[in-house]
Amino acid sequence: MKHITCIDDLRTLHQRRVPKAFFDYCDRGSYAEETLRANREDMQAIKFRQRILVDVSRRDTSTTILGERSTMPLMLAPVGLLGMQHGDGEIHACRAAQAAGIPFTQSTMSICSIEDIAANVEKPFWFQLYVMKDRGFIKELIQRAMAAKCSALVLTVDLQVIGQRHADIKNGMTVPPEWSLSKLLDFASKPAWVSGVLQGKRRTFGNIAGHVKNTEDLNRLAEWTASQFDTSLSWKDVEWVRSIWPGKLIIKGILDVEDAEEAAKTGAQALVVSNHGGRQLDGAPSSIEVLPEIADAVGDKMEVMFDGGIRSGQDVMRALALGAKSCMIGRAYAYGLGAGGQAGVAKAIDIIQKELLTTMGLCGVNTIDEIDDHIIAM
């Protein structure tokens, strides 16, 4: 990791070390990938005001997230299949986040189960929930998150209809993977990845495996999962989740002011401005484009978090300047995980924090609370 200087370096190493199907699962978006590209292009179009001769000797990235101290305004977002980027990937990512003093969010569609992570880390973590058709199973999942002492529930609301990801179809992306000669050759060329995954606790969806009968039939498990995404999902389901979950609730997947205003009525403590990393509605606006109006509309009622295109500390600064209180990274740390396991995730976090500190200094601010739109070049 000594010569890794940026998140793009981790991406390059990730691509080299992990089979194509799993790298593409992490890296690519839906359909023509217009929204995926917009997340980055719109972010990079935002320019800073460089300020000089300002005392920036007291720079500090620490802040609070949902009332808890954090070393910086950053969380690790829920990312599915982390355990297929690196064996026991969810555990390694959670450990890296906790060592850095920031929150980690486990995905419903993780390889390690809630209990696997809870038994192998020192502190509570966040759990991300999809509301599926089998409400009994979802209630059980919430109760398992409560038993594991998860400190926040991240309810993702933008996946009731799944956007097509062309790369996944072309790669025959399944868990466990479909076998073909090209895939066998790809796997054979990455023995360290194979060894790590084989030594991991699981190679299928850990949170679901115990629920479906005959879980040794992996095709059956995959079919059940695909059938469970619920097109009837509505705001009443948020109320239902709220009635079961007693802790902090975050609604993830808000991209419209009217939806943000509805979210503020639910009693949730936070929302995440997100387009699912450009993996759902292609042609939707970038997350950074809609952030300011959403922050203006509901920022005094709940914490506004941001997700979509963060690859640097500069990007974190941009999102904070436009109204976010904190930011999630997904691909950025998944690249680190694929590149080097826990050490790679730690490197991704460290890169972003150091870039944020430098950018704060060159923009003339010392604390996170000082960051607002006055640092943006208009």
Side-chain angles (χ1 to χ4, degrees):
M1 293 290 151
K2 183 171 66 172
H3 300 294
I4 298 293
T5 62
C6 60
I7 298 300
D8 278 348
D9 287 349
L10 290 172
R11 180 183 180 275
T12 298
L13 197 54
H14 179 195
Q15 187 172 23
R16 189 185 309 154
R17 292 184 173 179
V18 173
K20 185 178 187 300
F22 295 112
F23 173 78
D24 283 353
Y25 173 82
C26 168
D27 189 61
R28 302 295 295 275
S30 65
Y31 297 100
E33 300 185 336
E34 294 174 10
T35 299
L36 174 69
R37 290 191 297 274
N39 277 349
R40 294 295 301 131
E41 291 168 359
D42 291 353
M43 183 75 77
Q44 291 171 321
I46 299 167
K47 305 304 178 185
F48 298 111
R49 293 175 66 200
Q50 178 176 297
R51 305 306 304 275
I52 60 170
L53 299 178
V54 178
D55 179 356
V56 289
S57 60
R58 299 173 288 103
R59 282 170 293 146
D60 180 5
T61 63
S62 66
T63 188
T64 59
I65 299 175
L66 294 179
E68 299 289 332
R69 294 299 294 174
S70 180
T71 57
M72 60 181 136
L74 193 73
M75 302 84 72
L76 300 194
V79 176
L81 309 186
L82 285 180
M84 300 307 288
Q85 304 296 343
H86 188 280
D88 290 337
E90 291 86 5
I91 293 171
H92 291 296
C94 188
R95 285 174 174 169
Q98 292 187 352
I102 65 173
F104 166 80
T105 316
Q106 180 194 9
S107 170
T108 291
M109 308 309 294
S110 60
I111 299 300
C112 291
S113 69
I114 299 172
E115 294 78 11
D116 291 337
I117 300 177
N120 286 278
V121 301
E122 296 180 355
K123 301 173 186 176
F125 53 93
W126 296 359
F127 181 70
Q128 177 266 338
L129 182 73
Y130 292 120
V131 177
M132 298 179 176
K133 291 178 181 177
D134 187 339
R135 296 296 197 268
F137 171 61
I138 297 308
K139 183 176 182 180
E140 178 187 315
L141 262 186
I142 296 171
Q143 291 169 338
R144 288 167 63 186
M146 291 162 58
K149 296 182 170 53
C150 291
S151 52
L153 188 71
V154 179
L155 178 62
T156 298
V157 294
D158 60 354
L159 203 79
Q160 67 268 37
V161 175
I162 300 177
Q164 180 169 299
R165 298 148 198 176
H166 296 338
D168 290 350
I169 294 173
K170 291 174 181 176
N171 290 329
M173 178 63 191
T174 60
V175 177
E178 292 177 356
W179 292 109
S180 65
L181 179 57
S182 62
K183 193 167 288 184
L184 282 168
L185 292 172
D186 189 15
F187 281 32
S189 71
K190 297 170 176 67
W193 176 87
V194 171
S195 175
V197 169
L198 289 177
Q199 291 177 51
K201 297 178 183 302
R202 303 175 191 272
R203 282 162 293 283
T204 188
F205 299 122
N207 290 321
I208 297 172
H211 177 73
V212 180
K213 294 180 180 179
N214 302 319
T215 55
E216 66 278 2
D217 183 346
L218 296 169
N219 287 329
R220 176 185 173 90
L221 183 61
E223 288 171 5
W224 181 87
T225 302
S227 73
Q228 282 297 305
F229 290 97
D230 191 352
T231 56
S232 72
L233 201 65
S234 73
W235 288 105
K236 290 183 179 179
D237 294 296
V238 179
E239 294 176 14
W240 176 73
V241 170
R242 177 79 274 182
S243 73
I244 302 167
W245 174 254
K248 297 169 184 175
L249 179 65
I250 303 164
I251 300 178
K252 181 176 183 288
I254 303 295
L255 210 62
D256 184 271
V257 170
E258 289 184 20
D259 288 338
E261 290 170 342
E262 287 298 317
K265 299 174 185 176
T266 64
Q269 283 75 25
L271 62 78
V272 185
V273 176
S274 174
N275 54 34
H276 216 95
R279 294 166 60 80
Q280 280 293 92
L281 176 60
D282 199 31
S286 66
S287 296
I288 200 70
E289 179 183 344
V290 300
L291 171 62
E293 59 180 343
I294 290 176
D296 286 345
V298 301
D300 60 341
K301 303 179 182 70
M302 61 200 310
E303 287 194 23
V304 174
M305 300 172 175
F306 177 83
D307 168 69
I310 299 284
R311 299 289 187 277
S312 67
Q314 292 91 332
D315 293 339
V316 171
M317 188 92 158
R318 289 169 169 126
L320 297 180
L322 294 181
K325 294 299 182 183
S326 56
C327 298
M328 285 185 166
I329 54 170
R331 289 182 176 92
Y333 86 85
Y335 295 149
L337 182 68
Q342 184 173 333
V345 178
K347 185 68 174 181
I349 296 168
D350 182 63
I351 286 169
I352 288 175
Q353 184 172 32
K354 287 178 177 175
E355 290 172 341
L356 177 58
L357 269 172
T358 298
T359 309
M360 289 170 64
L362 294 173
C363 290
V365 299
N366 280 289
T367 69
I368 297 302
D369 288 342
E370 293 176 29
I371 301 171
D372 59 27
D373 62 5
H374 84 273
I375 71 164
I376 300 298
M378 300 299 183

